[in-house]
Amino acid sequence: MKSYLDIIKLVWPLALGMVNNALMQFVDRAFLARESMASLEAIMPSSMLSLILLSFFQAIVAYSGTFVATYYGAKNDRMCQASCTAGIILSFIFGAVSLLFIPLGESVFEAFSHGEDVISRQKTYFSITVAGGIFLYGQMAVQSYFTGRGRTQTVFLVNLAGNLLNIVLDPIFIFGLCGLPKMGIAGAAYATVGSLMLQWLSLWLILKREERLRNDKSFSNDKVKWFSAEMLRLSLRIIRFGALSGLYNVLNLLSFTIFVFFTGAVGHLEVAVSNACFAVNYLLFAPIEGFALGAATLVGQAKGAGDFHLARLSGWRCALLAVATTAVLLALTLMFNRPILLIFAPDDPILSGKFIELGFTLLVLMAAWQVFEVFDTVISGALKGAGDTSFVLWWMLVVAFLFWMPLVVFVSKSDNSMPNLWSTMIAYVAVLSAGTLFRWRSGRWLRINIV
């Protein structure tokens, strides 16, 4: 029983932190729904495309946390600090590189989106969030040091402060309160970037404060040099494993974004309902990402300590706790579906009725696929923590693009309705989770050594 309590102690701040992030996105969409239907329609594809780009570099920087966890398990504090430093260096490099992709993203909206007003809003949100990507990477780099060492409560408190700032800034920037001009969807983007900036600076100041209290100058003296052959080798090793994790994020999100663009051809009301339900889905799924990060940390620490039995148990126990959490959240969502959907529904009584009716159907389908997705996400996180990023990438690639995407195309041409399109997600995650569980049970990941 103690092992489960230890996992909960580690994971609950991560899970609540992910819920905070999801709540931030949820609040963005709720305010934008009141600003205009065009903004609500624009936010989903623009945020997804932004996430696709940022998630690649974010995953590489975040993988420094796996190195921290592994070295922490091996009781090598110096290399824990070196891994964090490598992540910080990479965050600055990737922040500059991300700017080069803004014109490409804007051309995607022109090619695939519908309506000049919607396209303009998509471009605005995308360009602001991508330009602010350096703060996301920086936050992730410094956060990795605390997460890898199991100090998740510090990360949670900083994350909470940042997201509260976002919620406060949203109505001020979006609707032009306190004497500011009305910025609409641009205001939501600026609020998000401001939140990330606060989190980055806060974690950095905490890290430097602890460094001074320990009288430890490891970030500036000869023990860990920022620019050295050792740091270059470590950074390249982080990139080697992290790039596969980043490609996984990109291709996974790309397949989902393609799916979103297919749903965009169904109808304006249907798209608004779908976007609203995806916002709810993200809010419910967020704590599971915390369990996945916890699984990666625990598996990395156990492998670093050479305890392979504990590594296995940690992965399974994280998955079981995630399933129990998801079951409760899904039951509450279906029970209170009407007040949840009314947050996004239009004021017109007729349209509102149709909105809620379709929304309930989509929420039921969402509950069905999340049963499978929980296992896949947490066990995939455990595999990444063990260094098995290659399998996680290639298995998702095969199932998403050789099975799910053809299925989506077939359904869109035969009976293009939103419930039918959403039903393809159930088949996709069922097949995906089956392969991931088989890989975990095989134990091949035990032979991988990342350090």
Side-chain angles (χ1 to χ4, degrees):
M1 186 65 179
K2 183 177 183 297
S3 59
Y4 280 100
L5 293 177
D6 289 340
I7 292 174
I8 292 172
K9 182 179 179 181
L10 174 77
V11 168
W12 76 259
L14 295 174
L16 287 181
M18 295 296 181
V19 171
N20 279 334
N21 293 336
L23 183 61
M24 183 173 67
Q25 300 296 325
F26 187 90
V27 170
D28 282 352
R29 286 158 175 74
F31 279 122
L32 289 174
R34 293 291 172 255
E35 193 264 331
S36 73
M37 287 293 288
S39 289
L40 181 59
E41 187 174 344
I43 187 64
M44 187 67 182
S46 58
S47 60
M48 284 302 302
L49 193 58
S50 172
L51 191 57
I52 286 176
L53 171 62
L54 298 178
S55 66
F56 175 72
F57 299 116
Q58 177 189 2
I60 298 176
V61 173
Y63 209 81
S64 62
T66 301
F67 278 71
V68 172
T70 304
Y71 282 122
Y72 183 72
K75 302 186 185 307
N76 189 338
D77 189 62
R78 176 184 180 277
M79 291 306 296
C80 287
Q81 296 171 6
S83 299
C84 177
T85 302
I88 293 170
I89 293 171
L90 291 174
S91 69
F92 285 106
I93 296 172
F94 295 153
V97 172
S98 297
L99 299 176
L100 302 177
F101 290 89
I102 292 178
L104 176 62
E106 292 179 342
S107 65
V108 170
F109 297 125
E110 292 178 354
F112 293 99
S113 295
H114 309 281
E116 288 299 322
D117 188 26
V118 173
I119 292 173
S120 175
R121 293 167 191 260
Q122 289 172 339
K123 288 182 178 180
T124 298
Y125 188 88
F126 175 81
S127 60
I128 295 172
T129 52
V130 170
I134 187 173
F135 302 117
L136 174 64
Y137 308 147
Q139 174 219 6
M140 192 59 61
V142 185
Q143 174 181 313
S144 70
Y145 181 76
F146 296 99
T147 302
R149 298 168 66 91
R151 295 181 53 190
T152 54
Q153 293 187 29
T154 300
V155 175
F156 167 69
L157 292 174
V158 171
N159 178 266
L160 178 62
N163 288 332
L164 286 175
L165 176 66
N166 181 88
I167 293 173
V168 171
L169 293 180
D170 257 341
I172 296 174
F173 288 172
I174 292 173
F175 301 110
L177 306 180
C178 301
L180 294 177
K182 179 180 178 181
M183 290 183 275
I185 198 170
Y190 285 126
T192 298
V193 171
S195 167
L196 293 171
M197 185 187 303
L198 175 65
Q199 293 177 60
W200 175 44
L201 290 174
S202 298
L203 286 170
W204 173 256
L205 290 174
I206 293 171
L207 185 62
K208 298 301 291 184
R209 178 177 178 273
E210 294 188 357
E211 181 184 322
R212 289 193 299 272
L213 290 176
R214 294 194 315 265
N215 195 26
D216 181 359
K217 304 300 181 181
S218 298
F219 280 76
S220 58
N221 66 13
D222 291 339
K223 292 176 65 178
V224 179
K225 294 183 179 180
W226 282 64
F227 304 103
S228 64
E230 177 190 37
M231 189 58 63
L232 177 61
R233 288 193 297 270
L234 180 58
S235 298
L236 291 176
R237 197 160 182 82
I238 291 173
I239 291 173
R240 173 189 167 189
F241 288 95
L244 295 176
S245 182
L247 281 174
Y248 169 87
N249 287 350
V250 168
L251 294 173
N252 188 34
L253 287 168
L254 178 61
S255 65
F256 184 72
T257 302
I258 293 173
F259 172 76
V260 169
F261 277 112
F262 269 99
T263 64
V266 177
H268 289 292
L269 178 64
E270 289 82 357
V271 170
V273 176
S274 180
N275 287 350
C277 289
F278 274 129
V280 176
N281 173 74
Y282 183 45
L283 189 61
L284 295 180
F285 183 70
I288 308 310
E289 294 180 317
F291 279 98
L293 182 55
T297 300
L298 290 170
V299 170
Q301 290 179 352
K303 284 195 68 181
D307 192 339
F308 296 153
H309 177 67
L310 179 60
R312 282 182 178 274
L313 285 179
S314 297
W316 283 121
R317 287 168 176 168
C318 283
L320 290 175
L321 288 171
V323 169
T325 302
T326 301
V328 173
L329 293 176
L330 288 174
L332 291 173
T333 300
L334 294 178
M335 187 181 303
F336 298 103
N337 72 91
R338 185 177 180 84
I340 292 172
L341 292 169
L342 279 174
I343 297 174
F344 302 94
D347 295 329
D348 183 276
I350 297 177
L351 290 178
S352 178
K354 294 180 179 179
F355 192 104
I356 293 172
E357 181 181 1
L358 176 59
F360 177 72
T361 301
L362 298 187
L363 290 178
V364 171
L365 294 173
M366 176 196 73
W369 86 53
Q370 279 205 3
V371 172
F372 299 103
E373 194 171 22
V374 170
F375 275 106
D376 178 70
T377 301
V378 177
I379 298 301
S380 290
L383 289 172
K384 291 177 183 178
D388 199 6
T389 53
S390 179
F391 169 80
V392 175
L393 167 64
W394 291 111
W395 177 239
M396 182 279 301
L397 186 63
V398 168
V399 179
F401 291 94
L402 298 183
F403 172 68
W404 186 34
M405 289 296 97
L407 182 61
V408 170
V409 172
F410 173 78
V411 170
S412 67
K413 292 184 179 298
S414 58
D415 189 359
N416 192 29
S417 69
M418 198 65 75
N420 287 341
L421 288 171
W422 272 52
S423 296
T424 65
M425 285 281 289
I426 300 174
Y428 167 54
V429 294
V431 174
L432 190 66
S433 62
T436 302
L437 286 172
F438 179 81
R439 178 69 172 191
W440 178 257
R441 288 178 61 86
S442 74
R444 294 181 183 179
W445 49 273
L446 291 170
R447 298 194 291 268
I448 300 173
N449 185 22
I450 69 170
V451 299

